[in-house]
Amino acid sequence: MNNNYITSKMRTLVIEHQNITPNSFADRATKSLIAELQNRSIGIITATSYEDARAVIMSTQIDSLVLALEKTEEQIVNSNEEVDLLAALQARQSEVPVFLLAERARTSILNNRQLMERVDECYSVLEDTADFVAGRIVASMRRYRAQVLPPFMKAMMHYNNIHEYSWSAPGHQGGIGFTKTPAGNQFFEFFGENLFRTDMGIERAALGSLLDHSGAFKDSEVEAAKIFGAHQSYSGIVGTSGSNRTIMQACMKDDDIAICDRNCHKSIEQGLILTGARPIYMVPSRNCYGIIGPISKTQMSKEGIALKAKNAGIPFNADEKKASYAVVTNCTYDGLCYHSEVTEALLGESSSRIHMDEAWFGYARFNPIYKGHFAMRGDAKDHTGPTVFATHSTHKLLNALSQASYIHVRNGENAINFDRFNQAYMMHTSTSPLYAICASNDVAANMMKGESGLSLTNEVNREAIIFRQSVRQLFNDYTAENDWFFKPWNAETVTEMNGDTVNFENASVESLMTIQQNWKLTPGDKWHGFDEIDNDWCMLDPIKVSLLTPGLDDNGNFLETGVPAALVTAYLGRFGIVPTRTTDFQVMFLFSMGITKGKRDTLINTLLSFKRHYDANSPLETILPELVASSPETYSGLGLKDLGNKMFEYLVRHNPSQVLNQAYSSLPEMEVKPRTAYQFVVSDEVELVASDKLVGRVAANSVIPYPPGIPMLMGGENFGDKTSPQIQYLKALEAWDAEFPGFEHETEGAEIEDGKYHVLCIKKDAL
């Protein structure tokens, strides 16, 4: 097997003459060239129109493009279709060599600067032989292949092509070990030989070292820093959880102050445990749908943070000594993105180092719609102010394998030098990295380089916007008939390219892809549901699409009837469609670079199918047979709408979203730091406590309901008295789980025993 990318099968896209006379000399010359390329083992893809060629460019990797042009002088002068096609190629597959074959109108072609700027070589079909042209094309393709791969991927593939006999780890030795038993052989066949051949031990000095950031690893990280606009970038292989913990471990020691977004990933709590830092929490807003909004500017201000510290009993004066670390989730899981320049300015008054956890936002730098709303803005050399970190889960919405992540750093105030930072990095990085993860990070960064980043993000935004508009139009059509449908959560009126105000569904896709104001949350707008939001403070990411189901009015009051989102998600799941988040009346979908029009349209078809079956009250035995089989005593004989009505009645009766909002809008009293709470776990001075006995108890670990997947209670915090919204929410979950088996919620940090939620608490006599 030859693993060398440079010499593996190459492909040429040949666009045949648009106005060719069959069997003419030009036609025969083109066919002769194709034959010569095939003789050199080049794969040929032919297109007979520019539209066809564009489709190939957007969906298939090619190594060269041959444009056979047979047009008159007038056609060349009056047509831009060749220029438009080559611009699309440049945007999607930059640096692919382009060859133009022509005889007629050669003077006009040579005088067409826009066309000639995009063509690498131009040949005459009457003068240049097919053998000569084919040789030039193949040589150019080889040069292209040699430079197209990013540093680490190229080095790994070259090294793998040596076909070494290794006498070191890993023990499977290129996968051969797996082939020696039936189960192992199936494992080997399923993943394919290349994965195992590139799973090599860290002693391969020819590739450098991930831990020392040397060799091809260093080259890859230097290139990533250029692409993402950082002073330094660090490739991570243990997910953004590991990247977040790395930054925190590098920034803080015991009892240092950490200013933390309460809407944080659990890895932030883990960082607090590891460092022993003392947190001051900023609390984000929430609307009636449970969608998490931004932290207010007031809370981020120096005065607001000082007040938070005072209320928590933490001595802190930023004028005497700034906090060692501050973290903000940007964008939020629901797709809200802060005005990052203002965020840095506000937090910079209280902290010398700011971390933006951009796990779901690694693509923002590459599309102007997000201008000013991400950490690594502009040119790194122009950076002033606090040191800024950004973490990206490249495996989430870029194109990398799971566990791939980046840390990007812009050095400023209180910067941490490489040697000190790398001590923390090595604590959280395996000494036996899976090179496939490293390579996928390398490739994910490279894919965003140049014009391809804009092309890829534009495509995702376009598909998400078309989906939003299609759903909104369906919503309008049905509501005009006093019927119901899903409603996309976004502005209802927007600004068109000419400045006119139009309905969202009637706007041009171009205006929604380019005018940022159309995605900003403005004070007073009813659609977003955040009554006290600051002006010019955050925007909605177009690709994070929330659909609202009927059930609430604009003020959060229950309507007479509703369609619970949990039922929609269960129905979608039967057809292999998995939303990323579901609340009482919200279903959320992430559009990513793996989107296709078929995937988009199938989702719309399935939503329409759900509505059809819901309105018809189709029997659950037909629609959700697995659910009925799992609990026949609860669901037998019910229709889809029957179950929806029962769920809606429950939501009206218990209003768990309101209880959860109350739980998240208040900060429980912190009895001990998260680190101290964890030490009680280590010493086994903890016990499981039932929900009806949690009054006054101190949690030993965080309690994280899904959704939204952020801490309702941190380790070391007190549940409070009998009015505690945290306790009330756990009891509401118990009632839901008992009434609707198969629709149980996941709550990390809590266990269910005999139908009751139990939380690990610190023993009273241990405190």
mmCIF file with all atom_site columns, all heavy atoms in Angstrom, residues 86-102:
data_model
loop_
_atom_site.group_PDB
_atom_site.id
_atom_site.type_symbol
_atom_site.label_atom_id
_atom_site.label_alt_id
_atom_site.label_comp_id
_atom_site.label_asym_id
_atom_site.label_entity_id
_atom_site.label_seq_id
_atom_site.pdbx_PDB_ins_code
_atom_site.Cartn_x
_atom_site.Cartn_y
_atom_site.Cartn_z
_atom_site.occupancy
_atom_site.B_iso_or_equiv
_atom_site.pdbx_formal_charge
_atom_site.auth_seq_id
_atom_site.auth_comp_id
_atom_site.auth_asym_id
_atom_site.auth_atom_id
_atom_site.pdbx_PDB_model_num
ATOM 1   N N   . LEU A 1 86  ? -13.731 30.394 -11.814 1.00 0.00 ? 86  LEU A N   1
ATOM 2   C CA  . LEU A 1 86  ? -12.394 30.296 -11.233 1.00 0.00 ? 86  LEU A CA  1
ATOM 3   C C   . LEU A 1 86  ? -12.322 30.988 -9.877  1.00 0.00 ? 86  LEU A C   1
ATOM 4   O O   . LEU A 1 86  ? -11.535 30.592 -9.013  1.00 0.00 ? 86  LEU A O   1
ATOM 5   C CB  . LEU A 1 86  ? -11.362 30.870 -12.193 1.00 0.00 ? 86  LEU A CB  1
ATOM 6   C CG  . LEU A 1 86  ? -11.236 30.123 -13.537 1.00 0.00 ? 86  LEU A CG  1
ATOM 7   C CD1 . LEU A 1 86  ? -10.145 30.748 -14.397 1.00 0.00 ? 86  LEU A CD1 1
ATOM 8   C CD2 . LEU A 1 86  ? -10.961 28.641 -13.320 1.00 0.00 ? 86  LEU A CD2 1
ATOM 9   N N   . ALA A 1 87  ? -13.150 31.994 -9.660  1.00 0.00 ? 87  ALA A N   1
ATOM 10  C CA  . ALA A 1 87  ? -13.230 32.614 -8.330  1.00 0.00 ? 87  ALA A CA  1
ATOM 11  C C   . ALA A 1 87  ? -13.801 31.622 -7.318  1.00 0.00 ? 87  ALA A C   1
ATOM 12  O O   . ALA A 1 87  ? -13.356 31.552 -6.168  1.00 0.00 ? 87  ALA A O   1
ATOM 13  C CB  . ALA A 1 87  ? -14.090 33.875 -8.386  1.00 0.00 ? 87  ALA A CB  1
ATOM 14  N N   . ALA A 1 88  ? -14.796 30.840 -7.754  1.00 0.00 ? 88  ALA A N   1
ATOM 15  C CA  . ALA A 1 88  ? -15.361 29.808 -6.879  1.00 0.00 ? 88  ALA A CA  1
ATOM 16  C C   . ALA A 1 88  ? -14.317 28.744 -6.546  1.00 0.00 ? 88  ALA A C   1
ATOM 17  O O   . ALA A 1 88  ? -14.234 28.256 -5.417  1.00 0.00 ? 88  ALA A O   1
ATOM 18  C CB  . ALA A 1 88  ? -16.577 29.162 -7.542  1.00 0.00 ? 88  ALA A CB  1
ATOM 19  N N   . LEU A 1 89  ? -13.497 28.396 -7.541  1.00 0.00 ? 89  LEU A N   1
ATOM 20  C CA  . LEU A 1 89  ? -12.420 27.430 -7.306  1.00 0.00 ? 89  LEU A CA  1
ATOM 21  C C   . LEU A 1 89  ? -11.422 27.993 -6.301  1.00 0.00 ? 89  LEU A C   1
ATOM 22  O O   . LEU A 1 89  ? -10.988 27.288 -5.380  1.00 0.00 ? 89  LEU A O   1
ATOM 23  C CB  . LEU A 1 89  ? -11.718 27.102 -8.621  1.00 0.00 ? 89  LEU A CB  1
ATOM 24  C CG  . LEU A 1 89  ? -10.492 26.176 -8.511  1.00 0.00 ? 89  LEU A CG  1
ATOM 25  C CD1 . LEU A 1 89  ? -10.906 24.787 -8.065  1.00 0.00 ? 89  LEU A CD1 1
ATOM 26  C CD2 . LEU A 1 89  ? -9.743  26.105 -9.845  1.00 0.00 ? 89  LEU A CD2 1
ATOM 27  N N   . GLN A 1 90  ? -11.052 29.258 -6.468  1.00 0.00 ? 90  GLN A N   1
ATOM 28  C CA  . GLN A 1 90  ? -10.097 29.880 -5.563  1.00 0.00 ? 90  GLN A CA  1
ATOM 29  C C   . GLN A 1 90  ? -10.631 29.904 -4.137  1.00 0.00 ? 90  GLN A C   1
ATOM 30  O O   . GLN A 1 90  ? -9.894  29.677 -3.166  1.00 0.00 ? 90  GLN A O   1
ATOM 31  C CB  . GLN A 1 90  ? -9.800  31.302 -6.030  1.00 0.00 ? 90  GLN A CB  1
ATOM 32  C CG  . GLN A 1 90  ? -8.911  32.121 -5.094  1.00 0.00 ? 90  GLN A CG  1
ATOM 33  C CD  . GLN A 1 90  ? -7.482  31.634 -5.041  1.00 0.00 ? 90  GLN A CD  1
ATOM 34  O OE1 . GLN A 1 90  ? -7.041  30.916 -5.924  1.00 0.00 ? 90  GLN A OE1 1
ATOM 35  N NE2 . GLN A 1 90  ? -6.770  32.012 -3.994  1.00 0.00 ? 90  GLN A NE2 1
ATOM 36  N N   . ALA A 1 91  ? -11.916 30.154 -3.986  1.00 0.00 ? 91  ALA A N   1
ATOM 37  C CA  . ALA A 1 91  ? -12.507 30.227 -2.653  1.00 0.00 ? 91  ALA A CA  1
ATOM 38  C C   . ALA A 1 91  ? -12.585 28.863 -1.992  1.00 0.00 ? 91  ALA A C   1
ATOM 39  O O   . ALA A 1 91  ? -12.385 28.737 -0.777  1.00 0.00 ? 91  ALA A O   1
ATOM 40  C CB  . ALA A 1 91  ? -13.902 30.852 -2.739  1.00 0.00 ? 91  ALA A CB  1
ATOM 41  N N   . ARG A 1 92  ? -12.884 27.831 -2.765  1.00 0.00 ? 92  ARG A N   1
ATOM 42  C CA  . ARG A 1 92  ? -13.106 26.521 -2.188  1.00 0.00 ? 92  ARG A CA  1
ATOM 43  C C   . ARG A 1 92  ? -11.839 25.669 -2.156  1.00 0.00 ? 92  ARG A C   1
ATOM 44  O O   . ARG A 1 92  ? -11.582 24.962 -1.185  1.00 0.00 ? 92  ARG A O   1
ATOM 45  C CB  . ARG A 1 92  ? -14.209 25.790 -2.969  1.00 0.00 ? 92  ARG A CB  1
ATOM 46  C CG  . ARG A 1 92  ? -14.734 24.542 -2.300  1.00 0.00 ? 92  ARG A CG  1
ATOM 47  C CD  . ARG A 1 92  ? -15.104 24.804 -0.831  1.00 0.00 ? 92  ARG A CD  1
ATOM 48  N NE  . ARG A 1 92  ? -15.932 23.754 -0.306  1.00 0.00 ? 92  ARG A NE  1
ATOM 49  C CZ  . ARG A 1 92  ? -17.220 23.866 -0.048  1.00 0.00 ? 92  ARG A CZ  1
ATOM 50  N NH1 . ARG A 1 92  ? -17.821 25.022 -0.266  1.00 0.00 ? 92  ARG A NH1 1
ATOM 51  N NH2 . ARG A 1 92  ? -17.909 22.860 0.425   1.00 0.00 ? 92  ARG A NH2 1
ATOM 52  N N   . GLN A 1 93  ? -11.047 25.710 -3.233  1.00 0.00 ? 93  GLN A N   1
ATOM 53  C CA  . GLN A 1 93  ? -9.841  24.891 -3.311  1.00 0.00 ? 93  GLN A CA  1
ATOM 54  C C   . GLN A 1 93  ? -8.696  25.777 -3.809  1.00 0.00 ? 93  GLN A C   1
ATOM 55  O O   . GLN A 1 93  ? -8.299  25.713 -4.974  1.00 0.00 ? 93  GLN A O   1
ATOM 56  C CB  . GLN A 1 93  ? -10.061 23.684 -4.231  1.00 0.00 ? 93  GLN A CB  1
ATOM 57  C CG  . GLN A 1 93  ? -11.203 22.778 -3.780  1.00 0.00 ? 93  GLN A CG  1
ATOM 58  C CD  . GLN A 1 93  ? -11.261 21.483 -4.551  1.00 0.00 ? 93  GLN A CD  1
ATOM 59  O OE1 . GLN A 1 93  ? -10.266 20.804 -4.732  1.00 0.00 ? 93  GLN A OE1 1
ATOM 60  N NE2 . GLN A 1 93  ? -12.459 21.126 -5.014  1.00 0.00 ? 93  GLN A NE2 1
ATOM 61  N N   . SER A 1 94  ? -8.195  26.585 -2.892  1.00 0.00 ? 94  SER A N   1
ATOM 62  C CA  . SER A 1 94  ? -7.168  27.556 -3.237  1.00 0.00 ? 94  SER A CA  1
ATOM 63  C C   . SER A 1 94  ? -5.910  26.877 -3.771  1.00 0.00 ? 94  SER A C   1
ATOM 64  O O   . SER A 1 94  ? -5.546  25.787 -3.336  1.00 0.00 ? 94  SER A O   1
ATOM 65  C CB  . SER A 1 94  ? -6.815  28.373 -1.990  1.00 0.00 ? 94  SER A CB  1
ATOM 66  O OG  . SER A 1 94  ? -5.808  29.296 -2.255  1.00 0.00 ? 94  SER A OG  1
ATOM 67  N N   . GLU A 1 95  ? -5.280  27.521 -4.712  1.00 0.00 ? 95  GLU A N   1
ATOM 68  C CA  . GLU A 1 95  ? -3.993  27.098 -5.281  1.00 0.00 ? 95  GLU A CA  1
ATOM 69  C C   . GLU A 1 95  ? -4.077  25.923 -6.248  1.00 0.00 ? 95  GLU A C   1
ATOM 70  O O   . GLU A 1 95  ? -3.048  25.454 -6.746  1.00 0.00 ? 95  GLU A O   1
ATOM 71  C CB  . GLU A 1 95  ? -2.971  26.760 -4.177  1.00 0.00 ? 95  GLU A CB  1
ATOM 72  C CG  . GLU A 1 95  ? -2.784  27.858 -3.142  1.00 0.00 ? 95  GLU A CG  1
ATOM 73  C CD  . GLU A 1 95  ? -2.360  29.189 -3.740  1.00 0.00 ? 95  GLU A CD  1
ATOM 74  O OE1 . GLU A 1 95  ? -1.623  29.169 -4.738  1.00 0.00 ? 95  GLU A OE1 1
ATOM 75  O OE2 . GLU A 1 95  ? -2.776  30.233 -3.214  1.00 0.00 ? 95  GLU A OE2 1
ATOM 76  N N   . VAL A 1 96  ? -5.265  25.380 -6.534  1.00 0.00 ? 96  VAL A N   1
ATOM 77  C CA  . VAL A 1 96  ? -5.374  24.334 -7.553  1.00 0.00 ? 96  VAL A CA  1
ATOM 78  C C   . VAL A 1 96  ? -4.937  24.922 -8.893  1.00 0.00 ? 96  VAL A C   1
ATOM 79  O O   . VAL A 1 96  ? -5.453  25.964 -9.313  1.00 0.00 ? 96  VAL A O   1
ATOM 80  C CB  . VAL A 1 96  ? -6.818  23.790 -7.646  1.00 0.00 ? 96  VAL A CB  1
ATOM 81  C CG1 . VAL A 1 96  ? -7.005  22.948 -8.904  1.00 0.00 ? 96  VAL A CG1 1
ATOM 82  C CG2 . VAL A 1 96  ? -7.157  22.960 -6.414  1.00 0.00 ? 96  VAL A CG2 1
ATOM 83  N N   . PRO A 1 97  ? -3.983  24.301 -9.576  1.00 0.00 ? 97  PRO A N   1
ATOM 84  C CA  . PRO A 1 97  ? -3.509  24.858 -10.855 1.00 0.00 ? 97  PRO A CA  1
ATOM 85  C C   . PRO A 1 97  ? -4.588  24.787 -11.939 1.00 0.00 ? 97  PRO A C   1
ATOM 86  O O   . PRO A 1 97  ? -5.321  23.803 -12.039 1.00 0.00 ? 97  PRO A O   1
ATOM 87  C CB  . PRO A 1 97  ? -2.309  23.982 -11.201 1.00 0.00 ? 97  PRO A CB  1
ATOM 88  C CG  . PRO A 1 97  ? -2.484  22.730 -10.417 1.00 0.00 ? 97  PRO A CG  1
ATOM 89  C CD  . PRO A 1 97  ? -3.234  23.096 -9.178  1.00 0.00 ? 97  PRO A CD  1
ATOM 90  N N   . VAL A 1 98  ? -4.641  25.850 -12.744 1.00 0.00 ? 98  VAL A N   1
ATOM 91  C CA  . VAL A 1 98  ? -5.658  25.971 -13.795 1.00 0.00 ? 98  VAL A CA  1
ATOM 92  C C   . VAL A 1 98  ? -4.952  26.096 -15.147 1.00 0.00 ? 98  VAL A C   1
ATOM 93  O O   . VAL A 1 98  ? -4.030  26.905 -15.318 1.00 0.00 ? 98  VAL A O   1
ATOM 94  C CB  . VAL A 1 98  ? -6.557  27.200 -13.565 1.00 0.00 ? 98  VAL A CB  1
ATOM 95  C CG1 . VAL A 1 98  ? -7.545  27.368 -14.713 1.00 0.00 ? 98  VAL A CG1 1
ATOM 96  C CG2 . VAL A 1 98  ? -7.286  27.075 -12.229 1.00 0.00 ? 98  VAL A CG2 1
ATOM 97  N N   . PHE A 1 99  ? -5.419  25.292 -16.105 1.00 0.00 ? 99  PHE A N   1
ATOM 98  C CA  . PHE A 1 99  ? -4.852  25.289 -17.457 1.00 0.00 ? 99  PHE A CA  1
ATOM 99  C C   . PHE A 1 99  ? -5.942  25.642 -18.450 1.00 0.00 ? 99  PHE A C   1
ATOM 100 O O   . PHE A 1 99  ? -7.044  25.085 -18.383 1.00 0.00 ? 99  PHE A O   1
ATOM 101 C CB  . PHE A 1 99  ? -4.265  23.908 -17.782 1.00 0.00 ? 99  PHE A CB  1
ATOM 102 C CG  . PHE A 1 99  ? -3.203  23.488 -16.803 1.00 0.00 ? 99  PHE A CG  1
ATOM 103 C CD1 . PHE A 1 99  ? -3.540  22.799 -15.652 1.00 0.00 ? 99  PHE A CD1 1
ATOM 104 C CD2 . PHE A 1 99  ? -1.879  23.806 -17.027 1.00 0.00 ? 99  PHE A CD2 1
ATOM 105 C CE1 . PHE A 1 99  ? -2.573  22.431 -14.734 1.00 0.00 ? 99  PHE A CE1 1
ATOM 106 C CE2 . PHE A 1 99  ? -0.900  23.439 -16.117 1.00 0.00 ? 99  PHE A CE2 1
ATOM 107 C CZ  . PHE A 1 99  ? -1.247  22.748 -14.963 1.00 0.00 ? 99  PHE A CZ  1
ATOM 108 N N   . LEU A 1 100 ? -5.611  26.545 -19.362 1.00 0.00 ? 100 LEU A N   1
ATOM 109 C CA  . LEU A 1 100 ? -6.584  26.985 -20.357 1.00 0.00 ? 100 LEU A CA  1
ATOM 110 C C   . LEU A 1 100 ? -6.123  26.523 -21.735 1.00 0.00 ? 100 LEU A C   1
ATOM 111 O O   . LEU A 1 100 ? -4.992  26.796 -22.144 1.00 0.00 ? 100 LEU A O   1
ATOM 112 C CB  . LEU A 1 100 ? -6.720  28.510 -20.305 1.00 0.00 ? 100 LEU A CB  1
ATOM 113 C CG  . LEU A 1 100 ? -7.899  29.118 -21.073 1.00 0.00 ? 100 LEU A CG  1
ATOM 114 C CD1 . LEU A 1 100 ? -8.391  30.372 -20.376 1.00 0.00 ? 100 LEU A CD1 1
ATOM 115 C CD2 . LEU A 1 100 ? -7.505  29.453 -22.508 1.00 0.00 ? 100 LEU A CD2 1
ATOM 116 N N   . LEU A 1 101 ? -7.002  25.799 -22.440 1.00 0.00 ? 101 LEU A N   1
ATOM 117 C CA  . LEU A 1 101 ? -6.740  25.368 -23.820 1.00 0.00 ? 101 LEU A CA  1
ATOM 118 C C   . LEU A 1 101 ? -7.614  26.190 -24.742 1.00 0.00 ? 101 LEU A C   1
ATOM 119 O O   . LEU A 1 101 ? -8.838  26.235 -24.573 1.00 0.00 ? 101 LEU A O   1
ATOM 120 C CB  . LEU A 1 101 ? -7.078  23.888 -23.988 1.00 0.00 ? 101 LEU A CB  1
ATOM 121 C CG  . LEU A 1 101 ? -6.355  22.875 -23.092 1.00 0.00 ? 101 LEU A CG  1
ATOM 122 C CD1 . LEU A 1 101 ? -6.802  21.473 -23.432 1.00 0.00 ? 101 LEU A CD1 1
ATOM 123 C CD2 . LEU A 1 101 ? -4.853  22.997 -23.266 1.00 0.00 ? 101 LEU A CD2 1
ATOM 124 N N   . ALA A 1 102 ? -6.997  26.853 -25.690 1.00 0.00 ? 102 ALA A N   1
ATOM 125 C CA  . ALA A 1 102 ? -7.798  27.692 -26.593 1.00 0.00 ? 102 ALA A CA  1
ATOM 126 C C   . ALA A 1 102 ? -7.024  27.955 -27.868 1.00 0.00 ? 102 ALA A C   1
ATOM 127 O O   . ALA A 1 102 ? -5.813  27.815 -27.928 1.00 0.00 ? 102 ALA A O   1
ATOM 128 C CB  . ALA A 1 102 ? -8.150  29.010 -25.913 1.00 0.00 ? 102 ALA A CB  1
#
